[in-house]
């Protein structure tokens, strides 16, 4: 039972690795939460969802701040694709064993998400994050050597 619980927690953390989501805020998250005067518990609760809702203005503002600090988006709202790709590749390394090029999988994911837009930079970042998550799960399940990885 303890082993099953540990495995479930490990699998859950792998999904969060992709989204840079954690139950506790990292340095960039803490900085944004403090700068924006937000409730950390509330932000982290939303942060832990599989797909992030777009309608929460405070969370969109937080996401804008976080993505800028992580180097995933520029001040003008353009994505820094190379940094996003690095994050995806790092997630693939930690999640699965695959013979398919991790960079190729990241390219396939980013190709699906290339037309993401939003009314604000924060909403645009949330939509990109949700798009990446959707296609990450599809391609990881498709190219995983074991074929048993199911990242909800």
């Amino acid at each position: 039972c303890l082993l099953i619980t540990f495995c479930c927690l490990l699998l859950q953390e792998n999904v969060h690795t992709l989204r840079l989501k954690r139950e506790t805020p990292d340095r960039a998250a803490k900085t944004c939460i403090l700068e924006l005067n937000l409730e950390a518990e509330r932000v982290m609760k939303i942060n832990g969802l599989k797909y992030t809702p777009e309608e929460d203005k405070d969370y969109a503002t937080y996401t804008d701040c976080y993505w800028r600090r992580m180097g995933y988006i520029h001040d003008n709202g353009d994505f820094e694709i190379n940094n996003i790709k690095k994050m995806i590749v790092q997630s693939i390394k930690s999640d699965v064993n695959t013979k398919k090029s991790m960079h190729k999988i990241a390219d396939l994911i980013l190709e699906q998400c290339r037309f993401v837009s939003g009314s604000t930079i924060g909403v645009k970042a949330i939509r990109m994050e949700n798009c990446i998550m959707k296609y990450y799960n599809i391609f990881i399940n498709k190219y995983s050597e074991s074929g048993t990885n199911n990242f909800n």
Side-chain angles (χ1 to χ4, degrees), residues 99-118:
K99 290 182 181 174
K100 183 83 171 172
S101 164
M102 290 176 273
H103 292 277
K104 179 64 177 168
I105 294 171
D107 288 338
L108 291 169
I109 292 166
L110 290 169
E111 176 66 21
Q112 297 299 314
C113 301
R114 71 184 181 278
F115 296 118
V116 167
S117 64

Side-chain angles (χ1 to χ4, degrees), residues 18-19 21 46-55 59 63 67 79 84 87 109 112-113 116-117 122-138:
L18 168 71
R19 302 183 76 225
K21 305 288 188 166
I46 296 170
N47 197 49
L49 299 174
K50 181 178 177 183
Y51 293 103
T52 306
E54 300 173 15
E55 61 277 355
Y59 192 79
T63 302
W67 273 57
F79 291 112
I84 295 172
M87 179 266 297
I109 292 166
Q112 297 299 314
C113 301
V116 167
S117 64
V123 170
K124 184 177 179 180
I126 288 170
R127 287 181 179 169
M128 176 62 101
E129 188 175 85
N130 287 338
C131 183
I132 291 169
M133 189 65 180
K134 174 183 176 182
Y135 288 102
Y136 182 85
N137 287 323
I138 290 169

Side-chain angles (χ1 to χ4, degrees), residues 31-49:
T31 301
C32 290
I33 288 167
L34 286 172
E35 283 180 3
L36 299 169
N37 197 28
L38 299 173
E39 293 178 36
E41 186 175 312
R42 182 173 175 274
V43 170
M44 294 288 80
K45 182 178 179 181
I46 296 170
N47 197 49
L49 299 174

